[in-house]
Amino acid sequence: MDPAAARRILEQERARGLDLIGRAASLEDLEAAKVAVLGRKAPFSEVQRSLGSFGNADRRDLGTATNEVREALGAAIEDRRAELERHAEAGLLSADGVDVTLPGRGPRPGSLHPLTIVERQMVEVFTRMGYRVAEGPEIEDEWHNFEALNIPPDHPARTMKDSLYIDIPGMLLRTETSAVQIRTMESQPPPVYVVAPGRVYRREAVDASHLFVFHQLECLAVDEGLSLADLKGTLEAFAHEMFGPDVRARITPDYFPFVEPGAQMAVSCFVCGGRGCRVCGNGWLEQGGAGMVHPKVLENCGYDSERYTGFAFGLGIERVAMVRHGVNDMRLFVEGDVRFLEQFEGVA
Ligand code: PHE
């Protein structure tokens, strides 16, 4: 190689090198470009190797030119590398990044539990009739849960078989919302018009129609001159609001220690109209117990049982919800299965 050829090659290689480096689209491309322009087999390296064969003056000039080209290409490679690294990082960022222009994915709103929905609807029917909501504790003493309700210590309902006692003597999980009748009457003089919705506990084996925790809505009215007709009328008004205007209410004799007379309430089946079908069997759907408040219960709360009479009933909230929404297994209310629960979205 002569000095003139060496000069030409250096200029060509500078131009070719800068072009290759500039076009490298990735760090791998850049590495390949570096090998192609400065590698052992590159024309540039051949020039460098032939420097020794030139005369002094050419060797000095060409040596300087070779250094310049190497430095220029080296600097171009480093610049391009820095640029590609910045791009790579920016690419990663945008790949994982949040696109703030996309519509958001908000958490899915929950909905009310079907029992909450039905309880609120039931309460509303009564508050529209002038009733007030009363509440009581879920851990009760035996006076409010039993004695004051005319359930003496030797009554079978008191045994461990039905009730869930806690470690504190004389305290248990309330077995019925009727305990709230006592608390209400103890806290105010008549007249009384209250409904007490809430959770109750019993020792039950769980199946499609029994849970050991369930909900009742207790209704209590005490005033002068109330009779069984008022009980039936109230129950019927409730049934019309909840199940429809054609539904009839029925009361049949039953026994509860805290009422006299006592009754079982049922409403005519809304599916078959009372003729009898798969849902109801005999045309009636049982709703709970009822009756005229026992004079002893009124006296236990300091009310004058000669002057005042009252009626009370306890509706099962699960039962009302099952009838109203065609639910055939009570366990669905406590299993928390979203496929069941989401069917009540937007119901109330
Ligand atoms: N407390 C009774 C029960 O749980 C229902 C009831 C309420 C009966 C009020 C009469 C009066 O079965």
Side-chain angles (χ1 to χ4, degrees):
M1 185 184 305
D2 59 53
R7 248 180 217 105
R8 206 174 52 244
I9 290 171
L10 280 180
E11 285 321 304
Q12 277 171 4
E13 285 300 293
R14 181 207 293 267
R16 187 178 76 95
L18 290 176
D19 180 55
L20 268 181
I21 292 162
R23 282 193 288 122
S26 64
L27 291 167
E28 293 78 62
D29 281 1
L30 184 63
E31 208 44 50
K34 184 179 174 183
V35 172
V37 295
L38 295 175
R40 238 168 11 89
K41 292 182 194 152
F44 172 84
S45 302
E46 273 174 47
V47 171
Q48 215 174 13
R49 275 193 298 274
S50 45
L51 286 178
S53 63
F54 302 149
N56 275 346
D58 285 331
R59 192 166 63 228
R60 204 172 46 245
D61 284 0
L62 280 165
T64 309
T66 309
N67 283 340
E68 271 173 27
V69 170
R70 194 193 313 103
E71 276 165 27
L73 292 175
I77 288 168
E78 287 320 306
D79 285 355
R80 186 67 188 146
R81 187 192 310 283
E83 220 168 84
L84 288 171
E85 278 169 359
R86 265 200 317 279
H87 279 158
E89 208 167 304
L92 279 182
L93 278 181
S94 72
D96 299 341
V98 175
D99 181 347
V100 294
T101 64
L102 285 174
R105 263 174 290 167
R108 196 171 134 195
S111 55
L112 291 176
H113 190 278
L115 291 179
T116 306
I117 295 171
V118 170
E119 180 184 301
R120 288 187 183 180
Q121 289 167 337
M122 291 169 69
V123 166
E124 206 196 306
V125 171
F126 287 100
T127 51
R128 267 191 274 135
M129 288 195 266
Y131 285 77
R132 168 177 84 74
V133 175
E135 280 180 315
E138 289 176 20
I139 298 177
E140 262 300 3
D141 54 56
E142 292 183 304
W143 165 257
H144 291 98
N145 199 83
F146 292 131
E147 254 130 81
L149 285 167
N150 200 28
I151 306 172
D154 56 0
H155 192 281
R158 297 284 287 260
T159 64
M160 292 295 286
K161 191 167 133 274
D162 299 304
S163 314
L164 292 159
Y165 279 83
I166 64 167
D167 278 348
I168 304 169
M171 302 292 281
L172 72 156
L173 300 178
R174 68 177 178 197
T175 55
E176 50 202 334
T177 44
S178 301
V180 185
Q181 289 186 26
I182 305 302
R183 289 190 173 271
T184 306
M185 289 191 280
E186 281 175 343
S187 70
Q188 66 157 94
V192 173
Y193 290 90
V194 293
V195 282
R199 220 177 263 144
V200 299
Y201 302 82
R202 285 185 201 173
R203 261 171 91 112
E204 298 273 13
V206 171
D207 64 26
S209 53
H210 295 88
L211 295 177
F212 52 83
V213 186
F214 56 101
H215 297 76
Q216 292 183 326
L217 180 128
E218 188 88 6
C219 174
L220 171 70
V222 183
D223 209 336
E224 287 179 73
L226 290 180
S227 74
L228 210 53
D230 298 297
L231 164 60
K232 187 159 184 218
T234 305
L235 181 61
E236 208 144 49
F238 167 76
H240 290 168
E241 288 290 321
M242 266 333 261
F243 306 119
D246 301 328
V247 168
R248 283 158 293 133
R250 180 187 78 170
I251 52 175
T252 49
D254 201 349
Y255 172 75
F256 298 94
F258 39 94
V259 284
E260 181 57 39
Q264 186 61 242
M265 333 176 264
V267 295
S268 62
C269 178
F270 65 101
V271 176
C272 63
R275 282 185 304 277
C277 70
R278 245 167 18 109
V279 174
C280 60
N282 63 359
W284 296 94
L285 297 161
E286 286 196 359
Q287 297 293 301
M292 297 307 290
V293 181
H294 198 292
K296 266 201 199 157
V297 172
L298 294 174
E299 298 291 339
N300 283 340
C301 301
Y303 282 19
D304 179 352
S305 63
E306 294 294 327
R307 184 167 164 202
Y308 295 101
T309 52
F311 63 80
F313 53 85
L315 293 159
I317 297 180
E318 280 81 356
R319 198 165 279 184
V320 171
M322 288 168 88
V323 169
R324 197 172 155 89
H325 294 291
V327 176
N328 58 11
D329 192 324
M330 207 171 164
R331 290 170 290 200
L332 288 165
F333 292 122
V334 290
E335 281 169 349
D337 189 328
V338 178
R339 292 168 299 180
F340 172 70
L341 297 174
E342 70 188 358
Q343 295 177 50
F344 296 88
E345 250 167 57
V347 169

